Structure formats: C-alpha cells, structure tokens
PDB file of all heavy atoms in Angstrom:
ATOM      1  N   LEU V   1     -28.457  66.522 -34.006  1.00  0.00           N
ATOM      2  CA  LEU V   1     -27.859  66.899 -32.727  1.00  0.00           C
ATOM      3  C   LEU V   1     -28.937  67.109 -31.656  1.00  0.00           C
ATOM      4  O   LEU V   1     -28.775  66.688 -30.504  1.00  0.00           O
ATOM      5  CB  LEU V   1     -27.025  68.170 -32.911  1.00  0.00           C
ATOM      6  CG  LEU V   1     -26.119  68.582 -31.777  1.00  0.00           C
ATOM      7  CD1 LEU V   1     -25.117  67.485 -31.447  1.00  0.00           C
ATOM      8  CD2 LEU V   1     -25.376  69.869 -32.154  1.00  0.00           C
ATOM      9  N   ILE V   2     -30.024  67.727 -32.028  1.00  0.00           N
ATOM     10  CA  ILE V   2     -31.131  67.938 -31.089  1.00  0.00           C
ATOM     11  C   ILE V   2     -31.693  66.600 -30.641  1.00  0.00           C
ATOM     12  O   ILE V   2     -31.855  66.344 -29.442  1.00  0.00           O
ATOM     13  CB  ILE V   2     -32.225  68.835 -31.714  1.00  0.00           C
ATOM     14  CG1 ILE V   2     -31.692  70.269 -31.862  1.00  0.00           C
ATOM     15  CG2 ILE V   2     -33.505  68.801 -30.879  1.00  0.00           C
ATOM     16  CD1 ILE V   2     -32.538  71.160 -32.759  1.00  0.00           C
ATOM     17  N   GLU V   3     -31.979  65.713 -31.610  1.00  0.00           N
ATOM     18  CA  GLU V   3     -32.533  64.410 -31.237  1.00  0.00           C
ATOM     19  C   GLU V   3     -31.559  63.632 -30.358  1.00  0.00           C
ATOM     20  O   GLU V   3     -31.941  63.061 -29.327  1.00  0.00           O
ATOM     21  CB  GLU V   3     -32.888  63.586 -32.468  1.00  0.00           C
ATOM     22  CG  GLU V   3     -33.477  62.243 -32.075  1.00  0.00           C
ATOM     23  CD  GLU V   3     -34.016  61.429 -33.227  1.00  0.00           C
ATOM     24  OE1 GLU V   3     -33.808  61.796 -34.392  1.00  0.00           O
ATOM     25  OE2 GLU V   3     -34.654  60.402 -32.937  1.00  0.00           O
ATOM     26  N   LYS V   4     -30.283  63.594 -30.750  1.00  0.00           N
ATOM     27  CA  LYS V   4     -29.269  62.847 -29.993  1.00  0.00           C
ATOM     28  C   LYS V   4     -29.204  63.327 -28.544  1.00  0.00           C
ATOM     29  O   LYS V   4     -29.172  62.528 -27.602  1.00  0.00           O
ATOM     30  CB  LYS V   4     -27.903  63.011 -30.677  1.00  0.00           C
ATOM     31  CG  LYS V   4     -26.768  62.271 -29.996  1.00  0.00           C
ATOM     32  CD  LYS V   4     -25.530  62.302 -30.877  1.00  0.00           C
ATOM     33  CE  LYS V   4     -24.484  63.202 -30.283  1.00  0.00           C
ATOM     34  NZ  LYS V   4     -23.238  63.223 -31.047  1.00  0.00           N
ATOM     35  N   ASN V   5     -29.211  64.644 -28.338  1.00  0.00           N
ATOM     36  CA  ASN V   5     -29.084  65.177 -26.987  1.00  0.00           C
ATOM     37  C   ASN V   5     -30.374  65.098 -26.185  1.00  0.00           C
ATOM     38  O   ASN V   5     -30.334  64.980 -24.963  1.00  0.00           O
ATOM     39  CB  ASN V   5     -28.507  66.585 -27.022  1.00  0.00           C
ATOM     40  CG  ASN V   5     -27.030  66.540 -27.311  1.00  0.00           C
ATOM     41  OD1 ASN V   5     -26.241  66.120 -26.472  1.00  0.00           O
ATOM     42  ND2 ASN V   5     -26.639  66.904 -28.522  1.00  0.00           N
ATOM     43  N   LEU V   6     -31.518  65.127 -26.851  1.00  0.00           N
ATOM     44  CA  LEU V   6     -32.770  64.860 -26.140  1.00  0.00           C
ATOM     45  C   LEU V   6     -32.768  63.420 -25.634  1.00  0.00           C
ATOM     46  O   LEU V   6     -33.151  63.149 -24.495  1.00  0.00           O
ATOM     47  CB  LEU V   6     -33.982  65.102 -27.039  1.00  0.00           C
ATOM     48  CG  LEU V   6     -34.351  66.554 -27.311  1.00  0.00           C
ATOM     49  CD1 LEU V   6     -35.487  66.632 -28.326  1.00  0.00           C
ATOM     50  CD2 LEU V   6     -34.720  67.288 -26.034  1.00  0.00           C
ATOM     51  N   ARG V   7     -32.321  62.502 -26.486  1.00  0.00           N
ATOM     52  CA  ARG V   7     -32.256  61.083 -26.089  1.00  0.00           C
ATOM     53  C   ARG V   7     -31.272  60.909 -24.930  1.00  0.00           C
ATOM     54  O   ARG V   7     -31.542  60.157 -23.990  1.00  0.00           O
ATOM     55  CB  ARG V   7     -31.852  60.199 -27.261  1.00  0.00           C
ATOM     56  CG  ARG V   7     -32.784  60.233 -28.462  1.00  0.00           C
ATOM     57  CD  ARG V   7     -34.146  59.718 -28.160  1.00  0.00           C
ATOM     58  NE  ARG V   7     -35.006  59.714 -29.348  1.00  0.00           N
ATOM     59  CZ  ARG V   7     -36.280  60.026 -29.317  1.00  0.00           C
ATOM     60  NH1 ARG V   7     -36.877  60.367 -28.199  1.00  0.00           N
ATOM     61  NH2 ARG V   7     -36.999  59.992 -30.423  1.00  0.00           N
ATOM     62  N   ARG V   8     -30.138  61.608 -24.981  1.00  0.00           N
ATOM     63  CA  ARG V   8     -29.147  61.524 -23.899  1.00  0.00           C
ATOM     64  C   ARG V   8     -29.713  62.019 -22.572  1.00  0.00           C
ATOM     65  O   ARG V   8     -29.268  61.592 -21.512  1.00  0.00           O
ATOM     66  CB  ARG V   8     -27.904  62.346 -24.240  1.00  0.00           C
ATOM     67  CG  ARG V   8     -26.964  61.656 -25.181  1.00  0.00           C
ATOM     68  CD  ARG V   8     -25.727  62.489 -25.368  1.00  0.00           C
ATOM     69  NE  ARG V   8     -24.783  61.821 -26.243  1.00  0.00           N
ATOM     70  CZ  ARG V   8     -23.746  62.405 -26.796  1.00  0.00           C
ATOM     71  NH1 ARG V   8     -23.491  63.688 -26.569  1.00  0.00           N
ATOM     72  NH2 ARG V   8     -22.945  61.732 -27.580  1.00  0.00           N
ATOM     73  N   SER V   9     -30.654  62.948 -22.645  1.00  0.00           N
ATOM     74  CA  SER V   9     -31.239  63.475 -21.408  1.00  0.00           C
ATOM     75  C   SER V   9     -32.390  62.600 -20.911  1.00  0.00           C
ATOM     76  O   SER V   9     -33.051  62.945 -19.941  1.00  0.00           O
ATOM     77  CB  SER V   9     -31.703  64.916 -21.612  1.00  0.00           C
ATOM     78  OG  SER V   9     -32.823  64.958 -22.472  1.00  0.00           O
ATOM     79  N   GLY V  10     -32.622  61.475 -21.604  1.00  0.00           N
ATOM     80  CA  GLY V  10     -33.644  60.541 -21.146  1.00  0.00           C
ATOM     81  C   GLY V  10     -34.990  60.681 -21.827  1.00  0.00           C
ATOM     82  O   GLY V  10     -35.939  59.985 -21.470  1.00  0.00           O
ATOM     83  N   ILE V  11     -35.109  61.562 -22.802  1.00  0.00           N
ATOM     84  CA  ILE V  11     -36.372  61.738 -23.522  1.00  0.00           C
ATOM     85  C   ILE V  11     -36.507  60.617 -24.544  1.00  0.00           C
ATOM     86  O   ILE V  11     -35.693  60.493 -25.457  1.00  0.00           O
ATOM     87  CB  ILE V  11     -36.431  63.124 -24.214  1.00  0.00           C
ATOM     88  CG1 ILE V  11     -36.373  64.238 -23.169  1.00  0.00           C
ATOM     89  CG2 ILE V  11     -37.666  63.255 -25.100  1.00  0.00           C
ATOM     90  CD1 ILE V  11     -37.529  64.274 -22.194  1.00  0.00           C
ATOM     91  N   THR V  12     -37.545  59.796 -24.398  1.00  0.00           N
ATOM     92  CA  THR V  12     -37.768  58.679 -25.313  1.00  0.00           C
ATOM     93  C   THR V  12     -39.029  58.890 -26.150  1.00  0.00           C
ATOM     94  O   THR V  12     -39.439  57.989 -26.887  1.00  0.00           O
ATOM     95  CB  THR V  12     -37.891  57.359 -24.526  1.00  0.00           C
ATOM     96  OG1 THR V  12     -38.990  57.488 -23.603  1.00  0.00           O
ATOM     97  CG2 THR V  12     -36.610  57.036 -23.781  1.00  0.00           C
ATOM     98  N   ASN V  13     -39.628  60.052 -26.037  1.00  0.00           N
ATOM     99  CA  ASN V  13     -40.866  60.358 -26.742  1.00  0.00           C
ATOM    100  C   ASN V  13     -40.696  60.208 -28.248  1.00  0.00           C
ATOM    101  O   ASN V  13     -39.600  60.379 -28.788  1.00  0.00           O
ATOM    102  CB  ASN V  13     -41.306  61.805 -26.458  1.00  0.00           C
ATOM    103  CG  ASN V  13     -41.435  62.087 -24.990  1.00  0.00           C
ATOM    104  OD1 ASN V  13     -40.512  61.842 -24.218  1.00  0.00           O
ATOM    105  ND2 ASN V  13     -42.557  62.635 -24.586  1.00  0.00           N
ATOM    106  N   LYS V  14     -41.824  59.941 -28.921  1.00  0.00           N
ATOM    107  CA  LYS V  14     -41.840  59.921 -30.380  1.00  0.00           C
ATOM    108  C   LYS V  14     -41.415  61.307 -30.856  1.00  0.00           C
ATOM    109  O   LYS V  14     -41.881  62.322 -30.345  1.00  0.00           O
ATOM    110  CB  LYS V  14     -43.239  59.591 -30.886  1.00  0.00           C
ATOM    111  CG  LYS V  14     -43.351  59.655 -32.398  1.00  0.00           C
ATOM    112  CD  LYS V  14     -44.773  59.363 -32.845  1.00  0.00           C
ATOM    113  CE  LYS V  14     -44.863  59.516 -34.352  1.00  0.00           C
ATOM    114  NZ  LYS V  14     -46.245  59.372 -34.822  1.00  0.00           N
ATOM    115  N   LEU V  15     -40.523  61.346 -31.851  1.00  0.00           N
ATOM    116  CA  LEU V  15     -40.037  62.612 -32.398  1.00  0.00           C
ATOM    117  C   LEU V  15     -40.246  62.584 -33.907  1.00  0.00           C
ATOM    118  O   LEU V  15     -39.759  61.687 -34.588  1.00  0.00           O
ATOM    119  CB  LEU V  15     -38.555  62.787 -32.073  1.00  0.00           C
ATOM    120  CG  LEU V  15     -37.982  64.132 -32.458  1.00  0.00           C
ATOM    121  CD1 LEU V  15     -38.080  65.103 -31.293  1.00  0.00           C
ATOM    122  CD2 LEU V  15     -36.531  63.992 -32.860  1.00  0.00           C
ATOM    123  N   VAL V  16     -41.001  63.558 -34.405  1.00  0.00           N
ATOM    124  CA  VAL V  16     -41.242  63.713 -35.833  1.00  0.00           C
ATOM    125  C   VAL V  16     -40.517  64.975 -36.269  1.00  0.00           C
ATOM    126  O   VAL V  16     -40.608  66.002 -35.592  1.00  0.00           O
ATOM    127  CB  VAL V  16     -42.753  63.849 -36.134  1.00  0.00           C
ATOM    128  CG1 VAL V  16     -43.002  64.109 -37.611  1.00  0.00           C
ATOM    129  CG2 VAL V  16     -43.508  62.618 -35.662  1.00  0.00           C
ATOM    130  N   THR V  17     -39.788  64.905 -37.390  1.00  0.00           N
ATOM    131  CA  THR V  17     -39.057  66.070 -37.876  1.00  0.00           C
ATOM    132  C   THR V  17     -39.675  66.580 -39.167  1.00  0.00           C
ATOM    133  O   THR V  17     -39.976  65.792 -40.064  1.00  0.00           O
ATOM    134  CB  THR V  17     -37.573  65.725 -38.122  1.00  0.00           C
ATOM    135  OG1 THR V  17     -37.017  65.235 -36.901  1.00  0.00           O
ATOM    136  CG2 THR V  17     -36.784  66.946 -38.556  1.00  0.00           C
ATOM    137  N   ALA V  18     -39.861  67.901 -39.235  1.00  0.00           N
ATOM    138  CA  ALA V  18     -40.317  68.567 -40.458  1.00  0.00           C
ATOM    139  C   ALA V  18     -39.238  69.566 -40.854  1.00  0.00           C
ATOM    140  O   ALA V  18     -38.780  70.347 -40.017  1.00  0.00           O
ATOM    141  CB  ALA V  18     -41.654  69.276 -40.224  1.00  0.00           C
ATOM    142  N   GLY V  19     -38.829  69.550 -42.115  1.00  0.00           N
ATOM    143  CA  GLY V  19     -37.728  70.385 -42.576  1.00  0.00           C
ATOM    144  C   GLY V  19     -38.115  71.770 -43.039  1.00  0.00           C
ATOM    145  O   GLY V  19     -37.250  72.565 -43.390  1.00  0.00           O
ATOM    146  N   ASP V  20     -39.411  72.084 -43.073  1.00  0.00           N
ATOM    147  CA  ASP V  20     -39.833  73.447 -43.406  1.00  0.00           C
ATOM    148  C   ASP V  20     -41.178  73.734 -42.746  1.00  0.00           C
ATOM    149  O   ASP V  20     -41.840  72.820 -42.244  1.00  0.00           O
ATOM    150  CB  ASP V  20     -39.874  73.685 -44.928  1.00  0.00           C
ATOM    151  CG  ASP V  20     -40.964  72.917 -45.660  1.00  0.00           C
ATOM    152  OD1 ASP V  20     -42.156  73.046 -45.287  1.00  0.00           O
ATOM    153  OD2 ASP V  20     -40.640  72.193 -46.618  1.00  0.00           O
ATOM    154  N   GLY V  21     -41.551  74.997 -42.745  1.00  0.00           N
ATOM    155  CA  GLY V  21     -42.760  75.417 -42.053  1.00  0.00           C
ATOM    156  C   GLY V  21     -44.034  74.832 -42.629  1.00  0.00           C
ATOM    157  O   GLY V  21     -44.961  74.488 -41.886  1.00  0.00           O
ATOM    158  N   GLN V  22     -44.101  74.693 -43.943  1.00  0.00           N
ATOM    159  CA  GLN V  22     -45.306  74.131 -44.554  1.00  0.00           C
ATOM    160  C   GLN V  22     -45.475  72.664 -44.181  1.00  0.00           C
ATOM    161  O   GLN V  22     -46.578  72.218 -43.894  1.00  0.00           O
ATOM    162  CB  GLN V  22     -45.275  74.290 -46.080  1.00  0.00           C
ATOM    163  CG  GLN V  22     -46.569  73.841 -46.754  1.00  0.00           C
ATOM    164  CD  GLN V  22     -47.778  74.626 -46.272  1.00  0.00           C
ATOM    165  OE1 GLN V  22     -47.817  75.846 -46.376  1.00  0.00           O
ATOM    166  NE2 GLN V  22     -48.783  73.930 -45.729  1.00  0.00           N
ATOM    167  N   LEU V  23     -44.368  71.923 -44.175  1.00  0.00           N
ATOM    168  CA  LEU V  23     -44.452  70.511 -43.763  1.00  0.00           C
ATOM    169  C   LEU V  23     -44.943  70.389 -42.322  1.00  0.00           C
ATOM    170  O   LEU V  23     -45.707  69.475 -41.994  1.00  0.00           O
ATOM    171  CB  LEU V  23     -43.091  69.827 -43.900  1.00  0.00           C
ATOM    172  CG  LEU V  23     -42.693  69.369 -45.295  1.00  0.00           C
ATOM    173  CD1 LEU V  23     -41.259  68.841 -45.290  1.00  0.00           C
ATOM    174  CD2 LEU V  23     -43.644  68.318 -45.827  1.00  0.00           C
ATOM    175  N   ALA V  24     -44.514  71.302 -41.468  1.00  0.00           N
ATOM    176  CA  ALA V  24     -44.957  71.288 -40.073  1.00  0.00           C
ATOM    177  C   ALA V  24     -46.468  71.476 -39.993  1.00  0.00           C
ATOM    178  O   ALA V  24     -47.161  70.723 -39.298  1.00  0.00           O
ATOM    179  CB  ALA V  24     -44.241  72.369 -39.271  1.00  0.00           C
ATOM    180  N   LEU V  25     -46.985  72.468 -40.714  1.00  0.00           N
ATOM    181  CA  LEU V  25     -48.434  72.699 -40.699  1.00  0.00           C
ATOM    182  C   LEU V  25     -49.184  71.544 -41.344  1.00  0.00           C
ATOM    183  O   LEU V  25     -50.263  71.154 -40.876  1.00  0.00           O
ATOM    184  CB  LEU V  25     -48.770  74.024 -41.386  1.00  0.00           C
ATOM    185  CG  LEU V  25     -48.357  75.272 -40.611  1.00  0.00           C
ATOM    186  CD1 LEU V  25     -48.609  76.529 -41.429  1.00  0.00           C
ATOM    187  CD2 LEU V  25     -49.070  75.358 -39.263  1.00  0.00           C
ATOM    188  N   ASP V  26     -48.624  70.964 -42.404  1.00  0.00           N
ATOM    189  CA  ASP V  26     -49.246  69.788 -43.028  1.00  0.00           C
ATOM    190  C   ASP V  26     -49.342  68.654 -42.018  1.00  0.00           C
ATOM    191  O   ASP V  26     -50.366  67.970 -41.933  1.00  0.00           O
ATOM    192  CB  ASP V  26     -48.454  69.334 -44.256  1.00  0.00           C
ATOM    193  CG  ASP V  26     -48.636  70.247 -45.457  1.00  0.00           C
ATOM    194  OD1 ASP V  26     -49.494  71.159 -45.413  1.00  0.00           O
ATOM    195  OD2 ASP V  26     -47.891  70.059 -46.446  1.00  0.00           O
ATOM    196  N   TYR V  27     -48.270  68.427 -41.254  1.00  0.00           N
ATOM    197  CA  TYR V  27     -48.298  67.382 -40.232  1.00  0.00           C
ATOM    198  C   TYR V  27     -49.402  67.665 -39.214  1.00  0.00           C
ATOM    199  O   TYR V  27     -50.196  66.783 -38.860  1.00  0.00           O
ATOM    200  CB  TYR V  27     -46.941  67.260 -39.533  1.00  0.00           C
ATOM    201  CG  TYR V  27     -46.966  66.261 -38.402  1.00  0.00           C
ATOM    202  CD1 TYR V  27     -46.907  64.900 -38.665  1.00  0.00           C
ATOM    203  CD2 TYR V  27     -47.094  66.678 -37.079  1.00  0.00           C
ATOM    204  CE1 TYR V  27     -46.964  63.966 -37.629  1.00  0.00           C
ATOM    205  CE2 TYR V  27     -47.148  65.754 -36.046  1.00  0.00           C
ATOM    206  CZ  TYR V  27     -47.084  64.403 -36.325  1.00  0.00           C
ATOM    207  OH  TYR V  27     -47.152  63.495 -35.298  1.00  0.00           O
ATOM    208  N   LEU V  28     -49.464  68.895 -38.742  1.00  0.00           N
ATOM    209  CA  LEU V  28     -50.439  69.258 -37.719  1.00  0.00           C
ATOM    210  C   LEU V  28     -51.880  69.145 -38.209  1.00  0.00           C
ATOM    211  O   LEU V  28     -52.784  68.854 -37.430  1.00  0.00           O
ATOM    212  CB  LEU V  28     -50.166  70.677 -37.223  1.00  0.00           C
ATOM    213  CG  LEU V  28     -48.862  70.842 -36.437  1.00  0.00           C
ATOM    214  CD1 LEU V  28     -48.527  72.321 -36.259  1.00  0.00           C
ATOM    215  CD2 LEU V  28     -48.943  70.132 -35.091  1.00  0.00           C
ATOM    216  N   HIS V  29     -52.084  69.380 -39.520  1.00  0.00           N
ATOM    217  CA  HIS V  29     -53.432  69.319 -40.096  1.00  0.00           C
ATOM    218  C   HIS V  29     -53.732  67.990 -40.785  1.00  0.00           C
ATOM    219  O   HIS V  29     -54.844  67.808 -41.288  1.00  0.00           O
ATOM    220  CB  HIS V  29     -53.629  70.459 -41.101  1.00  0.00           C
ATOM    221  CG  HIS V  29     -53.768  71.789 -40.466  1.00  0.00           C
ATOM    222  ND1 HIS V  29     -52.822  72.775 -40.580  1.00  0.00           N
ATOM    223  CD2 HIS V  29     -54.747  72.304 -39.677  1.00  0.00           C
ATOM    224  CE1 HIS V  29     -53.209  73.841 -39.909  1.00  0.00           C
ATOM    225  NE2 HIS V  29     -54.367  73.576 -39.339  1.00  0.00           N
ATOM    226  N   GLY V  30     -52.747  67.085 -40.872  1.00  0.00           N
ATOM    227  CA  GLY V  30     -52.959  65.834 -41.592  1.00  0.00           C
ATOM    228  C   GLY V  30     -53.197  66.079 -43.072  1.00  0.00           C
ATOM    229  O   GLY V  30     -54.060  65.464 -43.694  1.00  0.00           O
ATOM    230  N   ALA V  31     -52.415  66.997 -43.645  1.00  0.00           N
ATOM    231  CA  ALA V  31     -52.577  67.374 -45.051  1.00  0.00           C
ATOM    232  C   ALA V  31     -51.285  67.093 -45.820  1.00  0.00           C
ATOM    233  O   ALA V  31     -50.271  66.709 -45.239  1.00  0.00           O
ATOM    234  CB  ALA V  31     -52.928  68.864 -45.145  1.00  0.00           C
ATOM    235  N   GLY V  32     -51.309  67.331 -47.142  1.00  0.00           N
ATOM    236  CA  GLY V  32     -50.112  67.169 -47.966  1.00  0.00           C
ATOM    237  C   GLY V  32     -49.528  65.776 -47.834  1.00  0.00           C
ATOM    238  O   GLY V  32     -50.245  64.777 -47.961  1.00  0.00           O
ATOM    239  N   ASP V  33     -48.224  65.697 -47.544  1.00  0.00           N
ATOM    240  CA  ASP V  33     -47.543  64.412 -47.371  1.00  0.00           C
ATOM    241  C   ASP V  33     -48.112  63.609 -46.196  1.00  0.00           C
ATOM    242  O   ASP V  33     -47.877  62.408 -46.095  1.00  0.00           O
ATOM    243  CB  ASP V  33     -46.035  64.614 -47.124  1.00  0.00           C
ATOM    244  CG  ASP V  33     -45.303  65.103 -48.360  1.00  0.00           C
ATOM    245  OD1 ASP V  33     -45.874  65.022 -49.471  1.00  0.00           O
ATOM    246  OD2 ASP V  33     -44.162  65.561 -48.216  1.00  0.00           O
ATOM    247  N   PHE V  34     -48.829  64.281 -45.303  1.00  0.00           N
ATOM    248  CA  PHE V  34     -49.375  63.623 -44.113  1.00  0.00           C
ATOM    249  C   PHE V  34     -50.880  63.423 -44.217  1.00  0.00           C
ATOM    250  O   PHE V  34     -51.544  63.181 -43.205  1.00  0.00           O
ATOM    251  CB  PHE V  34     -49.030  64.441 -42.864  1.00  0.00           C
ATOM    252  CG  PHE V  34     -47.557  64.632 -42.670  1.00  0.00           C
ATOM    253  CD1 PHE V  34     -46.944  65.818 -43.054  1.00  0.00           C
ATOM    254  CD2 PHE V  34     -46.768  63.627 -42.131  1.00  0.00           C
ATOM    255  CE1 PHE V  34     -45.583  65.997 -42.892  1.00  0.00           C
ATOM    256  CE2 PHE V  34     -45.403  63.794 -41.966  1.00  0.00           C
ATOM    257  CZ  PHE V  34     -44.804  64.987 -42.342  1.00  0.00           C
TER     258      PHE V  34
END
C-alpha cells in the first residue's frame, strides 16, 4: 500500500523493502543477505 500510493503521488525512486530491523541494517552496511 505504501509503495502503490508513493507511485500514485509521482514518486518513481528506487524502493527497497526490508521486513525487519536487522535486514534494514544489513542493507545499510552491505552485510548478511546484502
């Protein structure tokens, strides 16, 4: 819903989704799955 409505408002930016806090930090640090 967030992505759909951001797109509706004209936001075309790359959007990466993380489903938990550790995945978010892994993404930011290029660690774990990233």
Side-chain angles (χ1 to χ4, degrees):
L1 191 58
I2 291 166
E3 181 173 9
K4 181 170 109 177
N5 285 289
L6 285 174
R7 300 296 182 219
R8 280 185 178 166
S9 69
I11 298 297
T12 59
N13 305 53
K14 176 182 177 185
L15 186 92
V16 176
T17 302
D20 68 55
Q22 186 60 58
L23 280 174
L25 289 175
D26 286 352
Y27 176 78
L28 292 167
H29 287 112
D33 290 345
F34 302 99

